[in-house]
Structures are given as structure tokens and as C-alpha cells.
Amino acid sequence: MRLASILILAAVPVSAAPVKPKPALPKAKAAALAEVDAMAPEIARMAAELWTHSETALKEGRSSALLAGILEKEGFTLERGVAGMPTAFVATFGTGRPVIGVLAEFDALPGIGNAAVPRLEPRQDGVKDGHGCGHNLFGAGSLGAGIALKRVLLSQGLRGTIKVFGTPAEETLVGKTYMARDGVFDGLDAALDWHPGTENKVSNDTGQANNNFTVEFFGKAAHGAFDPWNGRSALDAVEAMTHAVNMMREHVPPSARVHYVVSSGGDVPNVVPAYARAWFFVRDSDRASTEQHYEWLLQIAAAAAQATQTTHKVTLTTGVHEYQLNRPLQEAMKRNLDLVGAPAWGEEEQRFAREMQAFLKRPEKGISTVIEPLAAEPEPVEGGSTDAAEVSYLTPTACLNLATAGIGLPWHSWSAAASHGLPGASKASVVAAKVMAATGVDLLTDPALLSSAQAFLKKKTEGRPYRSPIPEGQKPPLP
Ligand SMILES: [Zn+2]
């Protein structure tokens, strides 16, 4: 039968072949895109409600309940409170492999809340925190993708499992790190992720590995003038440490970053501080270098304690790897981004962006509608880290970036929080849901793509099995 049809094809003269039509969209992919379109009003509602809540790391009770509740109503099986975090959840639908994960973030940033207007103005409801990283759009878009994939599994009779991960506390790099350590992402065949920003592209930057830790020093209190010789200053220890850290900077590669705040330095000048605490981030372009700098910082902390006759305690709150870019998956996602197109910002969103840019005295360029190319090589590392890196180490993962705020507007700021509260902003969530759902369909229906993505990750991490940066048994830093 097969041979016969080949013979018939071979018999058709080349010159008579019709002009090759544009390949029709595979049925399952067309169905996924239609499902997202049908869900657009609900995606907009989710984005708006998450923005209204604007809850910060590990305090995302209402945000997490909203998303988990919607998934449960859709027929997903919910596990809430995973990895010791009440706001972390896993929603599962389907059976067997492939198992495709979708990551959903929803935490806000403290102190940058703003009304959804193109100028500095407090919110009328008094909420002080804000979605300056756009995780309200993020959570809504990821749910759109997860639900569309679930519906397509059913309508197209596909085989596989969809897992939507509610990952809290991204801003503190806690959520996915603790979930990864506790095996929550084990068994995934691939994962899809996206993130709001100021450009439309497939992420092609590894970010930085990071350790986030505090050093506490314990001295002895005494009167600052009457008998300071009876005291030992914990603040002196912090000062000795930060001085040595600033000297260390010259002797680490330029890719390294160390930054700190003194979060407790005594109460009044006439008491020798018996307690002081400093909070550090150390970063570099990979985990191994970050760990080297961290070892040096631990030696500095011990030396500062010794020099000041105090004692000290170090707590590594969290740490992440650099992101493991996965080329086959990036390319698949880019094809789907080109297919779906960048968010079609209308005059209202463009005007908002330009007014915000004018308010901040930036070039009035509006909001990007251009899709950036996927460069052959990873882009130079921008400052910053993400806990999605932990997932990318465990399973092939790709991340989409979409413009959700005006070009050149400061990120993690009140202006980004305001931009993400604009009703039209959820257009980006809809596009993200479509691109992720389309890529999910590719993974469900194209075993060659899945196996090449898995082989790519395996080769990349060969000889470096995943090792959680945080100690076994350590509890997440719940508020
Ligand atoms: Zn973010």
C-alpha cells in the first residue's frame, strides 16, 4: 500500500506540481489557540484580580487561592501547600507521558504599589505593594496556557499530563528553589514559562546564579561611654565584614556581584550593640563561581567575628543556578511566537506608555510591538537571577518575554506596577497563553522535539547532577 503510493507520487512530473500551499495549522494547535481566545475575558479577570491583591512573597493567600480554585473547577487535581509553603500548589490533569509543566508566578513587590495611571499616585484602596514585575499578568497567562492544553488533550484525544505549578515568592528566589529541592518538579518531561518585560522575544540570557544569605553577629552590651571596654560591638563586626567585602570586590571577576544592606545595627549610640545583622546577595554567571565567592564571604564573616571578639551565625536563605537555556525548545517557542505575533497594543496602551515615559522624562517611544530575533548565541548576561533556573536544570524549559510596559521604563518600580494594572495589559497574558499552549502542543505531538530538548539538557548538565543550593531540611522563610 505504502510502496504503491510512493510510486504514484514519483510518477507525477515535477513541473506539474502545484505551488506548495502554506502548511495548514495542525488541528491540535489551532484548537489550543481557539481555546485561549475563548478564555481571554477570564484571563483578563484573573490578571485584574491578582493586581488588586498585589500580595508579596509567601503572603499570596488570596492570589494563590484564586488560581488554584479556577484550576480545580476546570477539573485539575490540586495539591496545595507543597514544599512547606501554604501558597505553593501543583494542579495536575491527564495521565501518562509526556508530562508538561507550566509555571505560574503571582507575587508582588513591597512598597511600589501605584494606581493604574501614568503618573506617581497612590492606590485609592490603600494597597502599598505592587506588581512591578507583572506577575499578575504572568499568573493569568500561565493559567490560560495550562487550561487550554487540558482542553486540547480532551478534545483532540491526545495522551499526556499537564501540570500547572503555582510558584510563590519568585521575587525572593524562594518558591521554585524549595519546590525543586523537595522534588516537586521531578517527573516532568519539559516545562514552559514566560515573563513580562519591555521586549517581545524568547529569553536567551542565562541570568546569574545567586546566594542570598544573612550574617548575624552577637556581642556584649555595655554603656557606650561609661564602660565600653566591657562591651563587644556586633556592629563593629558588621563594619569589619562589609569593609573586607568591599576590598574583595577588586579581586573577583567583573561578572561577580556582591550587594548588602545592614538590616540591624543596634538601637541607640550609647549602648554598645550586642546584636547586628547584614543581608547579602552574591552572584556570578554560574553556580560554581558563585559558590567560590560565597566561601570567601564565609571566611570574611568568621574573620570579622574573630577580629571583634564576637560570635556569628550565617543563614543561607536561598540560592539559585544560572538558567539552562534549551536551544531546541527556544526555537520551537520562537516559531510559535512568530505564528501568534506580539501583543497588538492599541492606541490606549500606547498613549499610557508615552504619558508614563513623558512623566519620567524618558523618550516617548510607547510600548514595543516588535519581535526580537533569537540570536544564535546566548545574549550577554543581564544582572539578575530567577528561581525558574532551578526548573530549567531539572527539565527542558524555555521562557517567553513579552513587552508589558513602555520601552525604557524602570522595572520593579511603581511605573511598571501601574502599567500592569491597565485593563488592556492582559493582552500580553493572552499572547503568552497562546505561545505556551502552542509550544505545549508541539511537545505533546512531536516526540522528536521532546527528545532533542531532553538530549540537549542532558549533554549540558553532564557530570553536574542537580544539587540544591539550600541545605536539606531547611524550612522556607515563611513570614
Ligand atoms: Zn518577575
Side-chain angles (χ1 to χ4, degrees):
M1 185 74 164
R2 201 156 154 240
L3 184 65
S5 55
I6 289 169
L7 289 175
I8 291 164
L9 276 177
V12 176
V14 174
S15 58
V19 177
K20 208 176 159 196
K22 223 177 155 196
L25 209 50
K27 232 173 101 208
K29 195 175 278 191
L33 300 183
E35 290 292 357
V36 176
D37 273 328
M39 256 186 295
E42 181 162 20
I43 290 173
R45 270 196 299 279
M46 278 188 263
E49 197 168 332
L50 291 175
W51 189 87
T52 300
H53 296 325
S54 287
E55 295 168 306
T56 57
L58 299 178
K59 298 181 195 160
E60 316 96 333
R62 286 172 297 170
S63 306
S64 168
L66 169 74
L67 301 184
I70 289 170
L71 289 162
E72 197 161 47
K73 242 172 86 189
E74 181 67 27
F76 283 77
T77 305
L78 264 288
E79 276 174 273
R80 293 177 167 88
V82 298
M85 294 173 285
T87 51
F89 66 81
V90 185
T92 307
F93 185 90
T95 47
R97 296 182 61 183
V99 184
I100 308 300
V102 180
L103 308 179
E105 296 175 10
F106 40 79
D107 61 323
L109 286 154
I112 56 160
N114 198 81
V117 294
R119 58 189 170 277
L120 188 59
E121 189 176 302
R123 282 172 55 156
Q124 289 195 344
D125 58 10
V127 174
K128 298 269 185 288
D129 306 325
H131 273 296
C133 208
H135 294 184
N136 63 315
L137 305 176
F138 190 154
S142 294
L143 253 75
I147 292 172
L149 283 170
K150 171 252 161 177
R151 292 182 182 174
V152 165
L153 271 189
L154 285 182
S155 72
Q156 308 298 310
L158 300 177
R159 193 179 153 74
T161 304
I162 308 302
K163 280 177 172 245
V164 180
F165 294 90
T167 65
E170 193 281 330
E171 297 299 353
T172 53
L173 302 180
V174 162
K176 295 180 206 72
T177 305
Y178 282 79
M179 291 167 87
R181 184 199 62 182
D182 291 1
V184 175
F185 302 111
D186 292 356
L188 281 179
D189 287 306
L192 300 165
D193 189 18
W194 82 285
H195 203 290
T198 54
E199 289 182 320
N200 304 296
K201 62 183 184 185
V202 172
S203 176
N204 194 24
D205 164 6
T206 63
Q208 292 171 301
N210 178 347
N211 269 2
N212 165 349
F213 65 103
T214 55
V215 185
E216 294 171 286
F217 290 98
F218 308 93
K220 271 188 247 170
H223 193 296
F226 180 72
D227 64 341
W229 50 87
N230 283 327
R232 294 292 181 270
S233 169
L235 178 60
D236 284 353
V238 165
E239 288 187 57
M241 176 163 185
T242 56
H243 181 61
V245 167
N246 291 324
M247 294 168 115
M248 167 190 167
R249 285 182 204 282
E250 191 185 352
H251 308 290
V252 289
S255 51
R257 294 284 183 281
V258 189
H259 21 254
Y260 59 84
V261 292
V262 177
S263 39
S264 174
D267 299 311
V268 287
N270 57 350
V271 175
V272 173
Y275 178 79
R277 184 176 68 238
W279 179 12
F280 294 84
F281 282 12
V282 56
R283 315 187 202 229
D284 206 335
S285 42
D286 61 46
R287 186 77 211 143
S289 317
T290 302
E291 284 176 5
Q292 263 178 29
H293 310 323
Y294 181 61
E295 283 305 313
W296 190 348
L297 291 162
L298 293 183
Q299 289 172 10
I300 289 174
Q306 192 179 22
T308 53
Q309 296 195 328
T310 58
T311 59
H312 80 298
K313 181 182 170 208
V314 178
T315 305
L316 177 62
T317 308
T318 191
V320 296
H321 288 75
E322 72 282 11
Y323 199 97
Q324 307 298 310
L325 297 171
N326 190 294
R327 192 71 197 182
L329 206 45
Q330 285 176 295
E331 286 173 356
M333 189 176 255
K334 175 65 166 54
R335 286 192 291 272
N336 288 310
L337 174 58
D338 290 335
L339 170 74
V340 173
W345 299 114
E347 188 40 42
E348 191 192 344
E349 294 89 19
Q350 291 291 5
R351 194 183 330 113
F352 184 97
R354 285 194 305 268
E355 284 176 19
M356 184 69 90
Q357 285 154 342
F359 185 86
L360 287 165
K361 300 187 169 52
R362 309 265 166 141
E364 291 168 43
K365 291 181 177 170
I367 180 166
S368 174
T369 53
V370 173
I371 295 177
E372 308 294 334
L374 175 61
E377 294 297 319
E379 288 162 25
V381 173
E382 291 177 345
S385 313
T386 171
D387 65 2
E390 303 315 281
V391 184
S392 75
Y393 209 108
L394 292 165
T395 193
T397 308
C399 180
L400 172 74
N401 294 148
L402 293 178
T404 56
I407 295 163
L409 290 177
W411 206 246
H412 278 201
S413 74
W414 65 264
S415 69
S419 305
H420 297 144
L422 200 65
S426 67
K427 282 179 197 167
S429 307
V430 171
V431 169
K434 285 185 178 178
V435 176
M436 288 196 291
T439 312
V441 167
D442 289 340
L443 289 165
L444 287 167
T445 56
D446 182 358
L449 169 65
L450 189 58
S451 63
S452 68
Q454 289 177 339
F456 191 91
L457 177 65
K458 193 168 171 223
K459 190 165 169 224
K460 199 166 200 175
T461 55
E462 196 97 80
R464 299 185 296 135
Y466 181 76
R467 197 166 54 80
S468 174
I470 43 174
E472 194 58 43
Q474 179 171 297
K475 299 250 188 302
L478 296 180

